[in-house]
């Protein structure tokens, strides 16, 4: 089947979070099943180097204020359709934020344009290639189903995936005119959200099927606590909503081949993992202590991720002689609070503010346990990387974290199926208990080692989920 993906990020080219990892890996798994996936992606500066290797398949004199071209490139095992529109995407700063850290003012135009071109390719095809289905991801691609619907033409079916409902792409109603959207669809049954234009809402209203990235999050989304104002719409579309768990790229995240590690290892050579821990401890000048775990965090520093809660548990962690390495960036107050925590206990707490892919691998390989104390988590990928690296995930029981980690309760330990620690609710107290449980388990070397081994055998690739996407696509394409 020919499927067009429309998304704003794609690893290894441009990434701010897990969305990129998913867009960069699930197409490969679908290709193994015999499908052709092409990914429409803006040609930001980080990808524009690939344009010279591509063919121009579409040229427009004016796409909301400047010329645009779509290039087709095969790069790193992916079929990219790069939307080159320098007036929209060729700028310093990050994908969504300017150099001062504010949302680009013209984000509705930047991603309206991406959606418009997605819809055009959906309807007309490109370079002789015709998608039989269009799969759009998150708010940045949310207007694709809207534009296709308003064309009134026969269009391929659409699937919209919610990676995080906290980001809805809500903009002033004036964008309806700027983006040439139909006034007739700007109402509460369409893409209007309390007077604003809602990009995600539009996608959810008009896509044929809706998916999200874990079964638990799919049920959570129907509640006011997690649905963030869209629970009513999602409840009305419950029959069309399902949760398909994310997987990871097993070649990118492989402790047996990972060149970022000082020593690679497998379930059979777990002892070698210790060298990676030593390396991390040395790099950050942490005290070594074989009797207590080294905890790690690799995350955006935001309240979604519950990292304000973890700050309060640091004293407990230190009391237990455990140590902590944090790699992250985001909320400035949290960044400062973590730097202050590290300054206060430099032997036990190390913090690196910033985005560092290599260090992310080194932390996954080096720590004993990875903390993911999220308040909500659509899927979460870092706990999957941890499992693969024999690093025990310690997670709050929500969304995809609930679906991917088997808690080491007495029954699971007895039947040898535990792969990590889960706790609930997402509070300081419960997290503190989880840290105690982790330290207790760690001191039982035999139990801990067998849990590490089991974690490494957990199914975290795309095999199963790619088949579920395939089934969903086939149900729509007759
Ligand atoms: P989210 O997309 O909500 O941020 P995920 O767990 O799905 O959460 O994905 C986060 C991705 O971003 C993972 O690949 C993780 O390793 C990576 N990541 C997050 N913060 C950093 C960082 N500071 N440096 C390197 N990688 C990071
Ligand atoms: C979002 C979610 C995260 C998920 C990722 C990829 O960023 O916050 O939980 O893993 O998308 O689907």
């Amino acid at each position: 089947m020919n499927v067009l993906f429309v998304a704003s990020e794609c690893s290894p080219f441009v990434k701010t979070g897990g969305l990129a990892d998913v867009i960069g890996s699930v197409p490969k798994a679908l290709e193994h099943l015999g499908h052709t996936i092409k990914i429409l992606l803006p040609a930001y500066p980080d990808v524009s180097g690939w344009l010279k290797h591509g063919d121009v398949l579409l040229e427009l004199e004016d796409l909301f204020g400047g010329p645009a071209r779509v290039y087709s490139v095969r790069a790193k095992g992916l079929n990219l359709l790069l939307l080159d529109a320098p007036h929209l995407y060729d700028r310093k700063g990050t994908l969504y934020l300017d150099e001062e850290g504010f949302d680009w003012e013209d984000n509705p135009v930047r991603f309206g344009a991406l959606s418009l071109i997605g819809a055009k390719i959906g309807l007309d095809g490109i370079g002789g290639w015709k998608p039989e289905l269009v799969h759009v991801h998150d708010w940045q691609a949310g207007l694709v189903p809207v534009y296709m619907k308003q064309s009134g033409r026969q269009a391929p079916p659409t699937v919209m995936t919610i990676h995080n409902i906290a980001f809805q792409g809500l903009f002033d109603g004036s964008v309806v005119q700027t983006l040439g959207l139909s006034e007739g669809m700007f109402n509460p049954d369409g893409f209007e959200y309390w007077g604003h234009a809602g990009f995600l809402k539009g996608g959810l209203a008009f896509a044929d099927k809706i998916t999200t990235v874990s079964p638990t999050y799919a049920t959570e989304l129907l509640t006011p606590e997690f649905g963030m104002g869209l629970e009513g719409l999602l409840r009305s579309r419950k029959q069309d909503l399902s949760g398909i768990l994310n997987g990871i790229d097993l070649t990118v995240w492989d402790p047996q081949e990972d060149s970022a590690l000082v020593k690679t290892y497998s379930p059979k050579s777990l002892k070698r993992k210790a060298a990676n821990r030593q390396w991390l401890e040395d790099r950050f000048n942490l005290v070594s202590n074989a009797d207590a775990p080294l905890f790690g965090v690799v995350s955006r520093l935001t309240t979604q991720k519950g990292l304000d809660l973890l700050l309060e548990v640091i004293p407990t962690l230190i009391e237990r002689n455990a140590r902590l390495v944090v790699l992250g960036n985001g909320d400035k107050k949290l960044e400062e609070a973590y730097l202050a925590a590290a300054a206060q206990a430099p032997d036990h707490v190390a913090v690196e503010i910033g985005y560092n892919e290599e260090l992310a691998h080194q932390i996954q390989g080096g720590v004993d346990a990875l903390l993911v104390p999220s308040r909500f988590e659509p899927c979460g990928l870092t706990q999957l990387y941890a499992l693969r690296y024999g690093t025990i995930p310690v997670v709050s029981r929500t969304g995809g974290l609930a679906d991917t980690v088997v808690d080491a309760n007495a029954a699971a330990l007895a039947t040898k199926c535990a792969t990590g620690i889960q706790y609930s609710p997402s509070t300081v107290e419960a997290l503190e208990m989880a840290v105690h449980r982790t330290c207790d388990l760690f001191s039982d070397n035999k139990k801990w080692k067998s849990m590490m081994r089991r974690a490494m055998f957990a199914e975290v690739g795309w095999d199963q989920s790619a088949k579920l996407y395939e089934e969903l696509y086939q149900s729509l394409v007759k």
Side-chain angles (χ1 to χ4, degrees):
M1 189 182 300
N2 288 343
V3 181
L4 174 69
F5 269 39
V6 185
S8 59
E9 304 186 17
C10 178
S11 277
F13 309 102
V14 272
K15 167 168 168 179
T16 70
L19 169 67
D21 291 341
V22 171
I23 303 302
S25 57
V26 68
K28 293 182 191 164
L30 286 163
E31 271 198 20
H32 271 138
L33 297 176
H35 307 291
T36 301
I37 315 299
K38 298 200 180 199
I39 307 163
L40 178 67
L41 181 77
Y44 311 103
D46 283 349
V47 271
S48 57
W50 287 94
L51 296 178
K52 59 177 179 289
H53 304 290
D55 302 316
V56 178
L57 298 187
L58 180 70
E59 275 191 273
L60 289 150
E61 265 173 36
D62 180 41
L63 179 65
F64 301 123
R69 290 171 161 193
V70 178
Y71 290 75
S72 166
V73 193
R74 175 87 184 167
K76 309 223 171 189
L78 298 167
N79 301 312
L80 302 180
L81 294 170
L82 296 175
L83 175 56
D84 181 35
H87 62 297
L88 300 175
Y89 309 121
D90 184 15
R91 22 180 113 162
K92 294 202 178 104
T94 69
L95 304 192
Y96 314 120
L97 309 175
D98 64 21
E99 283 177 292
E100 260 97 64
F102 295 105
D103 286 345
W104 291 110
E105 223 173 283
D106 61 347
N107 271 346
V109 179
R110 298 172 73 228
F111 297 106
L114 177 71
S115 294
L116 180 67
I117 298 302
K120 183 171 171 47
I121 298 173
L123 292 165
D124 300 334
I126 188 163
W129 180 81
K130 274 212 109 173
E132 295 163 84
L133 184 139
V134 181
H135 187 164
V136 305
H137 298 266
D138 271 356
W139 72 265
Q140 294 88 347
L143 291 184
V144 174
V146 177
Y147 279 122
M148 295 216 301
K149 185 94 183 167
Q150 78 175 37
S151 76
R153 293 170 53 191
Q154 194 168 2
T158 48
V159 174
M160 162 122 227
T161 296
I162 305 168
H163 292 265
N164 192 338
I165 207 157
F167 303 106
Q168 299 188 358
L170 284 179
F171 301 104
D172 189 88
S174 62
V175 304
V176 174
Q177 217 181 6
T178 318
L179 296 177
L181 291 159
S182 149
E183 292 281 352
M185 291 157 89
F186 186 54
N187 55 49
D189 291 330
F191 63 88
E192 183 201 334
Y193 186 80
W194 302 102
H196 284 72
F199 281 31
L200 181 68
K201 188 177 178 203
L204 298 179
F206 296 111
D208 294 296
K209 293 280 180 195
I210 301 168
T211 69
T212 188
V213 289
S214 70
T216 294
Y217 194 57
T219 57
E220 288 172 344
L221 280 175
L222 304 177
T223 67
E225 191 187 347
F226 293 95
M228 302 203 174
L230 292 176
E231 63 276 8
L233 167 58
L234 288 171
R235 261 188 259 133
S236 76
R237 299 219 50 196
K238 202 173 155 200
Q239 301 309 321
D240 296 318
L241 169 69
S242 60
I244 300 179
L245 208 54
N246 283 337
I248 64 172
D249 188 326
L250 300 177
T251 60
V252 176
W253 295 92
D254 180 1
Q256 302 195 45
E257 299 285 340
D258 194 332
S259 59
L261 302 183
V262 282
K263 262 200 185 151
T264 55
Y265 58 93
S266 73
K268 283 194 188 133
S269 59
L270 275 182
K271 277 211 177 100
R272 292 167 59 88
K273 190 176 191 304
N276 295 296
R277 170 164 134 157
Q278 189 61 54
W279 181 90
L280 259 187
E281 288 168 347
D282 293 346
R283 182 187 193 278
F284 287 107
N285 293 317
L286 292 169
V287 284
S288 288
N289 184 343
D291 300 327
L294 173 63
F295 286 95
V297 168
V298 178
S299 182
R300 290 187 285 123
L301 299 181
T302 63
T303 45
Q304 172 195 338
K305 301 291 178 180
L307 291 166
D308 49 323
L309 307 173
L310 178 60
L311 276 171
E312 296 191 45
V313 181
I314 289 178
T316 308
L317 223 130
I318 296 175
E319 265 165 42
R320 296 288 314 236
N321 291 319
R323 282 123 320 109
L324 173 67
V325 179
V326 176
L327 166 64
N329 58 3
D331 186 301
K332 295 294 162 229
K333 275 203 185 121
L334 277 174
E335 289 182 355
E336 279 160 25
Y338 271 99
L339 287 172
Q344 222 176 13
D347 290 349
H348 287 78
V349 180
V351 172
E352 175 127 334
I353 300 299
Y355 191 89
N356 185 336
E357 195 75 32
E358 188 179 32
L359 184 58
H361 283 248
Q362 289 159 339
I363 291 177
Q364 292 286 5
V367 301
D368 299 298
L370 188 90
L371 286 158
V372 193
S374 307
R375 288 193 169 81
F376 70 93
E377 195 59 75
C379 180
L381 299 177
T382 58
Q383 83 281 11
L384 302 179
Y385 302 140
L387 290 168
R388 175 101 167 124
Y389 280 66
T391 292
I392 300 304
V394 179
V395 305
S396 59
R397 187 177 297 120
T398 185
L401 301 173
D403 294 336
T404 53
V405 174
V406 182
D407 179 52
N409 56 42
L413 284 172
T415 50
K416 297 199 179 344
C417 59
T419 56
I421 310 272
Q422 280 192 354
Y423 65 90
S424 174
S426 186
T427 58
V428 171
E429 295 71 27
L431 173 57
E432 193 162 30
M433 291 277 290
V435 165
H436 281 303
R437 281 178 66 206
T438 310
C439 293
D440 292 345
L441 255 174
F442 185 79
S443 55
D444 187 333
N445 193 36
K446 216 172 133 200
K447 271 195 192 139
W448 187 267
K449 280 265 156 58
S450 77
M451 205 155 83
M452 283 171 75
R453 245 174 243 119
R454 250 178 343 262
M456 293 181 87
F457 286 113
E459 296 274 348
V460 290
W462 274 109
D463 285 0
Q464 286 182 16
S465 296
K467 285 197 191 110
L468 294 176
Y469 278 120
E470 177 180 58
E471 275 170 31
L472 182 74
Y473 296 166
Q474 282 166 348
S475 75
L476 288 169
V477 177
K478 300 288 174 307

